[in-house]
């Protein structure tokens, strides 16, 4: 089968053997794999988790083969899911920190840019879902980044927030905009890509403004850019008693220096989140099924597997949201 590998030279398509499912595992024939901001970071500058090797982690497809012991799925089922599942046995899982599971890499779906994809046993048990007929294959994989957005919002006392500034104009910014506007929050998006901000505004029903025109303060500022200069700007725009949320991970070694007296005397809370939990995945699943048409604009185009470099080159230039 054909599969895309991330190498130090870029993306390569290789001919490799089809995966075979072990006990409790499922192999799917991939219908759609979506590009993702995390994959883009790995493509451009490396990533602490996504090393060289099979590439891609957002997927939907059709069950192709089953290992022994699989329950709830049959060959031919249309499915979609997320990329990991917690073990429920390690120290972090026992503390309820499922997104920080110490065995996350052992239970990871990787290699969705391929004809066939192996789904590990733990993911099959917890985070693989049958796809309802009305949910299109090309929208279903959005469940993974959407789960990360819902996990972030779990960290916030959302009832304490009225006004929200979202820094960045990518797909995660759009997802936060849709979720928070649905909750009745006053949302403003600010970024460098005017075309994408307009698209988010039109589809999410939120306002947008260029960075240089930002003025007022907000109860919550969410950074989706991983740009240290933008984060410093965002901090200065947080209301007293408000929240700065650092959603995106910086490049390894990059640092930010914060004005501690400003943070202290204005009682600003700085929060972060990583990945997703079974609870946030279920929230994303329910939201996706009810609102998938609102998210369809995030699919900016379609490419054949052999043209995957074109998709990532477009994303690197700021063209489109997801391919």
């Amino acid at each position: 089968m054909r599969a895309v590998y991330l190498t130090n030279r870029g993306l390569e398509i290789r001919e490799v053997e089809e995966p075979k499912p072990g006990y409790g595992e499922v192999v799917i024939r991939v219908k759609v794999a979506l590009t993702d901001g995390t994959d883009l970071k790995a493509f451009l500058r490396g990533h602490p988790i996504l090393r060289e090797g099979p590439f891609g982690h957002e997927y939907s497809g059709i069950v192709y083969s089953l290992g022994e012991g699989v329950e709830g799925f049959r060959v031919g089922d249309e499915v979609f899911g997320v990329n990991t599942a917690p073990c429920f046995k390690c120290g972090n899982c026992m503390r309820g920190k499922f997104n920080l599971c110490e065995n996350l890499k052992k239970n990871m779906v990787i290699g969705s840019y391929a004809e066939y994809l192996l789904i590990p046993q733990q993911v099959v048990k917890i985070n693989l879902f049958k796809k309802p007929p009305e949910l299109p294959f090309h929208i279903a994989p959005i469940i993974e980044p959407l789960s990360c957005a819902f996990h972030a919002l779990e960290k916030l006392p959302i009832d304490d927030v009225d006004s929200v500034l979202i820094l960045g104009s990518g797909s995660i910014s759009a997802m936060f905009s849709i979720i928070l506007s649905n909750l009745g929050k006053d949302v403003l998006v600010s970024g460098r890509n005017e075309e994408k901000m307009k698209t988010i505004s039109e589809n999410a029903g939120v306002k947008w403004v260029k960075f240089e025109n930002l003025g007022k303060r907000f109860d919550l500022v969410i950074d989706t850019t991983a740009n240290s200069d933008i984060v410093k700007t965002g901090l200065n725009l947080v209301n007293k008693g408000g929240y700065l949320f650092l959603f995106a991970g910086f490049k390894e070694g990059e640092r930010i220096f914060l004005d501690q007296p400003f943070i202290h005397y204005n009682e600003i809370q700085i929060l972060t989140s990583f990945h997703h939990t079974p609870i946030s995945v279920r929230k994303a699943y329910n939201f996706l099924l009810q609102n998938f048409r609102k998210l369809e604009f995030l699919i900016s185009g379609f490419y054949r597997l052999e043209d995957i470099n074109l998709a990532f080159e477009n994303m690197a230039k700021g063209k489109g949201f997801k391919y």
Side-chain angles (χ1 to χ4, degrees):
M1 72 168 189
R2 293 173 301 159
V4 174
Y5 275 63
L6 177 66
T7 74
N8 59 8
R9 298 175 300 277
L11 301 181
E12 296 180 358
I13 296 180
R14 299 179 180 178
E15 282 289 338
V16 299
E17 291 186 6
E18 291 181 9
K20 296 181 180 179
Y23 186 86
E25 296 178 335
V26 167
V27 171
I28 68 169
R29 179 166 61 85
V30 179
K31 288 284 288 185
V32 173
L34 288 185
T35 61
D36 175 78
T38 301
D39 289 346
L40 179 62
K41 286 193 288 187
F43 173 74
L44 292 175
R45 57 172 169 80
H47 190 275
I49 296 177
L50 303 181
R51 303 295 186 179
E52 294 184 9
F55 199 42
H57 64 278
E58 296 183 16
Y59 61 92
S60 65
I62 299 171
V63 174
Y64 177 71
S65 59
L66 303 169
E68 291 184 16
V70 173
E71 297 180 357
F73 295 99
R74 297 183 299 176
V75 171
D77 283 345
E78 297 179 350
V79 296
F80 67 113
V82 300
N83 56 334
T84 66
C87 69
F88 295 120
K89 297 178 181 178
C90 70
N92 283 337
C93 282
M94 296 300 288
R95 294 165 52 229
K97 307 291 185 181
F98 302 116
N99 59 308
L100 301 176
C101 173
E102 297 161 24
N103 294 303
L104 214 56
K105 291 183 181 180
K106 296 179 182 178
N107 300 310
M108 180 175 288
V109 178
I110 195 73
S112 61
Y113 302 127
E115 293 183 86
Y116 298 94
L117 178 65
L118 178 70
I119 312 297
Q121 179 182 3
Q122 198 71 356
V123 177
V124 172
K125 289 168 57 177
I126 300 167
N127 282 334
L128 185 68
F129 305 97
K130 291 183 180 178
K131 186 186 73 63
E134 65 272 15
L135 178 64
F137 278 107
H138 65 282
I139 303 178
I142 290 177
I143 189 174
E144 195 278 330
L146 196 62
S147 298
C148 296
F150 272 104
H151 175 58
L153 296 177
E154 289 170 0
K155 309 289 284 290
L156 285 159
I158 203 67
D159 291 339
D160 193 34
V161 169
D162 293 318
S163 58
V164 182
L165 170 64
I166 303 173
L167 298 171
S169 50
S171 58
I172 284 290
S173 177
M175 291 177 207
F176 275 124
S177 296
I178 293 170
I179 296 168
L180 289 165
S181 62
N182 273 16
L183 292 173
K185 307 303 178 183
D186 181 16
V187 179
L188 182 70
V189 173
S190 185
R192 290 176 174 158
N193 192 315
E194 187 171 326
E195 180 181 347
K196 289 168 71 174
M197 285 193 295
K198 287 181 178 178
T199 302
I200 293 172
S201 175
E202 291 167 0
N203 287 275
V206 300
K207 300 174 184 177
W208 68 274
V209 67
K210 294 181 180 179
F211 280 139
E212 55 266 29
N213 295 330
L214 284 168
K216 70 170 190 171
R217 295 181 182 275
F218 301 83
D219 301 329
L220 168 63
V221 175
I222 302 175
D223 174 66
T224 69
T225 69
N227 182 304
S228 57
D229 291 331
I230 292 173
V231 168
K232 286 186 283 187
T233 298
L235 175 61
N236 292 323
L237 294 169
V238 180
N239 274 332
K240 289 185 176 182
Y243 307 88
L244 173 64
F245 205 104
L246 304 180
F247 179 83
F250 282 19
K251 183 179 180 180
E252 284 188 281
E254 187 169 355
R255 301 288 185 266
I256 54 173
F257 298 90
L258 302 175
D259 184 347
Q260 194 275 344
F262 177 81
I263 296 168
H264 175 77
Y265 289 107
N266 289 285
E267 203 176 66
I268 293 170
Q269 297 188 49
I270 300 177
L271 302 172
T272 66
S273 68
F274 166 71
H275 209 45
H276 47 67
T277 67
I279 291 175
S280 67
V281 171
R282 266 62 186 174
K283 289 179 180 178
Y285 174 89
N286 291 328
F287 188 88
L288 184 63
L289 263 56
Q290 296 171 18
N291 299 279
F292 66 87
R293 292 297 179 197
K294 293 182 180 179
L295 296 160
E296 190 163 21
F297 77 94
L298 294 176
I299 310 303
S300 301
F302 297 83
Y303 284 97
R304 296 173 61 85
L305 189 64
E306 54 264 34
D307 297 321
I308 189 171
N309 276 288
L310 295 176
F312 277 93
E313 288 167 11
N314 275 346
M315 291 183 70
K317 295 174 183 176
K319 296 180 179 179
F321 294 98
K322 299 174 79 70
Y323 290 92

